[in-house]
Amino acid sequence: MRLLLRDLPIRRKLMVILMIATGGALLLAGAGLLTLDFFRFRREMVTDLETLAKIVAQNSTASLSFHDPIAVEETLAALNAKPSVLGAAVYDEQGALFGTWPREDPKPDFPPGPGPEGYEFRQDSLALFEPVILDGERIGTVYVESSLSEISKRLRFRFFTMAAVFLVSALAALALSSGLQGLISKPVLHLADTARAVSERNDYSLRAEKQSADELGQLMDAFNQMLSQIEERDTALQSAKDDLEHRVHARTHELRVANDELLQSNRELDDFAYVASHDLKEPLRGIHNYSMFLLEDYAGKLDDDGRSKLETLMRLTRRMEVLIDSLLQYSRLGRIDLTMEEVDLNELVAEVLENLDANFKTEQVEVTVPRPLPTVLGDRVQLGEIFHNLIVNGVKYNESQRKRIEIGYRDSQPPVFFVRDNGIGIPDKHFDAIFRIFKRLHARDKYGGGTGAGLTIVKKIVERHNGSIWVESTPGEGTTFHFTLAKGDSLATQSTHPAG
Ligand code: ADP
């Protein structure tokens, strides 16, 4: 029943509940009244029959005393007036039938002798024995038997009356409940409508209209209060969001300005480094030349120590020139614009390897490109510089019998290129340092010497292409340089941090 009611609309549910309650109460009351009536009718019947028997007994005393059965039957004949009486009999003192009524058939089966005083309900009738007393002595017994049809008739009548009352009451209850259920259903439906409107429109300024001061009214108040709190939070959230957006805008603007300034100052720094190194070259060349003149023209006048010092001076000026050239190359990178074009990396790497071929002649070098490289957008010359530097380093910092260089890439957005070698490797702690200018990890002349500018230049080129570069290495096993040539978020998956 509960399950059946559960999903009904609240209006129906209320009406069904009211009807069940009213109908149930009426049925119970009807059943109770009918039961009471049943017992009351039986009681009344017994009393009536007792009175009747007493009257007959009273009127039969003389006839019994004078043994006058005719008079007894006349007395009994008065029962004719009572249609429910089926029959009556009078027994004499010895218990023999003295007179009966009706005299003709259908004659009921009168008991052969008087039974104990009192009444007895049989299947269809009520039978009663009443003593006939004269001067305190029992001189006979009256027997009366009455049909129960009267009770059934009265009960039937009562039943139909009640059914009519039930029907009229049920109709009245239906009419009343359909009018009154609105007291509960209307506010609930209104609340449901408001809640639906709030969630559909996301409008927390809506409010439910309080319609009563009962628990439903309290529910509306609580609901409205909840909406107010959500609205307040919403407003606060919105203003926090606006504020945050405003701050992000402001910070972005500041960052953009700072970035522009940084770019500007980087360019100025490059300009300065370029001009300074350019200008420094001339006096350096002079120092070098004059040292040479001294060594040539005054060789005879100098002792061995003097000559050796002059030779050191010349070596140092040459080294300084190499360093200045590297600085010039590095600063020039920031001053010239990239010439962007589609570059087939297979061709580019082949060119680089061809140029390096002469260098590799003396070495046992094996360069592999396991699968064709893609075509990328970039500055052909500078991209060539990247591969050149990384390949040269892979061979230079390599003590293996058979030096192996592998060039490849990982499919990602953007692709991550790598140059791997089986060289001496780099300890973790130097992963950042190697990208700093003039930073070398070894003695000046070890591993074929160098200025320590190669990787700095490679990093600058990669960054000018909006990419990043990082290194993975195990000392004694080899090194892998990874780099990208465009912006992307795939780097988040890398095991080591991009340099810079
Ligand atoms: P340079 O080679 O002129 O010294 P680089 O900038 O190319 O300058 O390299 C900086 C340093 O990083 C090198 O001195 C070397 O110690 C280390 N390095 C670079 N590449 C490798 C490599 N493939 N294997 C091991 N060490 C390397």
Side-chain angles (χ1 to χ4, degrees), residues 7 15 21 36 91 137 158 162 190 311 334 348 357 363 374 411 426 432-433 445 457 464:
D7 297 332
M15 291 212 15
L36 276 178
Y91 299 85
E137 261 184 55
R158 191 47 67 87
M162 277 184 186
H190 172 61
E311 274 163 5
L348 186 78
D357 228 19
E363 315 254 6
D411 282 310
I426 304 167
D432 286 337
D445 296 324
I457 288 170
R464 289 205 76 194

Side-chain angles (χ1 to χ4, degrees), residues 393-425:
N393 278 355
V395 175
K396 214 163 91 172
Y397 300 102
N398 200 325
E399 291 172 336
S400 302
Q401 281 287 352
R402 199 154 175 77
K403 302 178 200 297
R404 279 199 304 274
I405 309 286
E406 184 188 337
I407 301 167
Y409 73 104
R410 182 158 59 82
D411 282 310
S412 53
Q413 203 41 26
V416 176
F417 300 97
F418 65 84
V419 177
R420 180 172 297 142
D421 64 55
N422 60 340
I424 58 170

Side-chain angles (χ1 to χ4, degrees), residues 389-390 393-398 421 423-426 434-436 439-442 449-456 473 479 481:
N389 271 304
L390 295 180
N393 278 355
V395 175
K396 214 163 91 172
Y397 300 102
N398 200 325
D421 64 55
I424 58 170
I426 304 167
I434 52 169
F435 291 100
R436 263 182 247 137
K439 175 70 186 175
R440 300 200 76 237
L441 302 182
H442 312 283
T451 60
L455 285 180
T456 318
S473 180
T479 304
F481 282 94

Side-chain angles (χ1 to χ4, degrees), residues 70-246:
I70 308 288
V72 164
E73 284 184 359
E74 272 170 15
T75 306
L76 289 175
L79 293 175
N80 229 351
K82 195 84 175 159
S84 62
V85 176
L86 295 171
V90 173
Y91 299 85
D92 62 13
E93 204 172 350
Q94 284 74 39
L97 263 181
F98 190 71
T100 59
W101 177 87
R103 221 171 301 141
E104 302 85 21
D105 291 332
K107 242 183 180 176
D109 290 334
F110 293 115
E117 183 187 337
Y119 65 88
E120 182 196 7
F121 275 101
R122 296 181 184 153
Q123 200 178 358
D124 298 319
S125 62
L126 167 65
L128 185 141
F129 288 100
E130 180 71 33
V132 184
I133 309 282
L134 183 66
D135 297 333
E137 261 184 55
R138 182 173 184 154
I139 56 163
T141 305
V142 172
Y143 169 77
V144 190
E145 190 180 346
S146 172
S147 144
L148 293 181
S149 64
E150 183 71 9
I151 293 192
S152 327
K153 220 159 66 187
R154 286 174 73 181
L155 277 178
R156 212 175 301 129
F157 177 71
R158 191 47 67 87
F159 175 79
F160 284 118
T161 317
M162 277 184 186
V165 170
F166 178 86
L167 210 67
V168 173
S169 310
L171 285 174
L174 189 69
L176 273 174
S177 63
S178 88
L180 290 177
Q181 52 81 25
L183 275 178
I184 292 172
S185 68
K186 260 198 198 140
V188 175
L189 291 176
H190 172 61
L191 194 66
D193 284 346
T194 315
R196 197 176 313 115
V198 168
S199 76
E200 272 172 12
R201 286 190 245 152
N202 259 338
D203 180 358
Y204 296 101
S205 65
L206 292 175
R207 293 290 177 270
E209 207 177 301
K210 189 176 172 181
Q211 295 167 357
S212 55
D214 56 359
E215 286 87 343
L216 282 172
Q218 286 170 14
L219 188 65
M220 302 274 181
D221 281 344
F223 180 70
N224 286 341
Q225 221 171 338
M226 197 175 74
L227 283 179
S228 302
Q229 283 171 4
I230 295 176
E231 194 185 11
E232 266 171 39
R233 269 180 226 172
D234 216 33
T235 317
L237 213 64
Q238 188 59 41
S239 93
K241 191 176 154 227
D242 292 347
D243 187 42
L244 206 67
E245 264 174 20
H246 182 73

Side-chain angles (χ1 to χ4, degrees), residues 26-55:
L26 280 171
L27 271 180
L28 269 179
L33 280 175
L34 274 180
T35 315
L36 276 178
D37 277 350
F38 174 70
F39 287 107
R40 191 159 56 84
F41 290 161
R42 276 163 63 117
R43 182 72 249 152
E44 278 175 16
M45 205 172 158
V46 169
T47 315
D48 278 2
L49 211 61
E50 272 173 355
T51 314
L52 212 62
K54 274 195 175 87
I55 294 170

